Amino acid sequence: MRAPDVRRLAEGLQLQTAGLAGTVTGTHPGTWIPTCPEWSLRDLVEHVGQAQRWASALLEQRATEPLPLEPVVSLDAEDWPEWLRAGAERLTAAVQECDAEVWTFLGPQDAAFWLRRMLHDTSVHHADAALALDRPYELAPDLAADAICEGLDMISSPLAETLNPGFKALRGDGEALALQPAEPDIDGWLIRRTPAGVTWERVNGAANVVVSAGVTDLLLVITRRLPPDDLRVEVVGERPLLDHWLEHTAFKGAS
């Protein structure tokens, strides 16, 4: 399966933002989000909308340094859906118009970096809201697969330990963790903990522990939204290795 192109990423951003907007329609702003335990539903919605607008500003200004977050105007919950969709539309337009590299936490990148980052941030927080509200959640397999790849790109980056010093705990002696999708047309992931840090590749290989599930459920497992003991998930091998990975792969904040 090929990585999504910019058009597909933009389509995914629109779909996931609309899905989140639909999920939060008619809900209570104070609803607790168990998978982001420091957040209420209002915090989650404001994070997604603010992050998308911040990324848009980076692109609109061709920023070479990080920008301050734009303040969030207090909104009634009934206004959330329109506000969320407007943020996704602004980011999509900014990506289309930006022809320069901009600042990112992994060094200068083209506009597609922020489109991809905001899509996957929105997708996972859509899941947070759906789980908290006991509402349906869907994410296309190609986008779920790319979200896993993007997360592994960040964790294996030479700058990873600068982003999160806790990633040093992921160094190892070659221990391997495999993610095996149930979908036959999607390759798995083989992740290794080396003395220099994390490496990964898209192969189905032998590992100390293998996690098998549908690709969207695999994403939810490795982002700590779905417990490995869920009936949709199979774990074979050294469970402590998986537990260690989940404990030490969270980015700072409600990630």
Side-chain angles (χ1 to χ4, degrees), residues 97-161:
E97 296 170 5
C98 183
D99 56 1
E101 290 191 336
V102 300
W103 175 88
T104 82
F105 47 78
L106 296 180
Q109 304 274 351
D110 63 24
F113 175 94
W114 285 113
L115 177 61
R116 188 186 191 208
R117 176 82 290 276
M118 290 299 101
L119 161 60
H120 299 320
D121 183 72
T122 301
S123 296
V124 172
H125 290 314
H126 178 194
D128 288 325
L131 291 167
L133 296 165
D134 194 25
R135 295 190 173 182
Y137 174 73
E138 293 184 3
L139 178 62
D142 64 320
L143 300 180
D146 189 61
I148 293 173
C149 290
E150 192 227 17
L152 292 174
D153 281 344
M154 290 191 285
I155 291 168
S156 61
S157 165
L159 297 177
E161 293 176 9

Side-chain angles (χ1 to χ4, degrees), residues 144-229:
D146 189 61
I148 293 173
C149 290
E150 192 227 17
L152 292 174
D153 281 344
M154 290 191 285
I155 291 168
S156 61
S157 165
L159 297 177
E161 293 176 9
T162 301
L163 297 174
N164 185 350
F167 286 165
K168 291 180 180 179
L170 298 175
R171 296 182 182 185
D173 296 311
E175 300 92 339
L177 184 154
L179 306 177
Q180 182 58 58
E183 294 85 350
D185 61 335
I186 300 179
D187 291 331
W189 292 262
L190 184 63
I191 305 162
R192 293 194 183 279
R193 294 173 51 196
T194 77
V198 171
T199 66
W200 67 278
E201 54 186 326
R202 292 297 300 274
V203 296
N204 299 321
N208 300 84
V209 60
V210 179
V211 186
S212 301
V215 66
T216 298
D217 288 334
L218 284 176
L219 172 64
L220 296 181
V221 169
I222 67 167
T223 55
R224 297 159 300 281
R225 269 66 187 183
L226 184 67
D229 295 328

Side-chain angles (χ1 to χ4, degrees), residues 12-83:
L13 177 72
Q14 299 286 341
L15 287 171
Q16 285 300 305
T17 305
L20 174 60
T23 295
V24 303
T25 296
T27 58
H28 192 285
T31 301
W32 179 55
I33 308 298
T35 47
C36 295
E38 296 181 359
W39 281 2
S40 67
L41 189 59
R42 177 179 293 280
D43 295 325
L44 184 148
V45 169
E46 291 184 349
H47 163 80
V48 170
Q50 185 183 47
Q52 291 185 2
R53 286 165 171 79
W54 175 74
S56 299
L58 285 169
L59 302 182
E60 291 162 354
Q61 299 180 35
R62 277 47 168 188
T64 57
E65 296 181 352
L67 298 176
L69 287 171
E70 297 183 7
V72 176
V73 177
S74 181
L75 296 170
D76 292 333
E78 64 186 20
D79 296 322
W80 286 350
E82 181 180 354
W83 183 73

Side-chain angles (χ1 to χ4, degrees), residues 77-98:
E78 64 186 20
D79 296 322
W80 286 350
E82 181 180 354
W83 183 73
L84 286 168
R85 293 188 184 97
E89 290 170 0
R90 177 181 169 186
L91 179 55
T92 300
V95 170
Q96 294 171 344
E97 296 170 5
C98 183

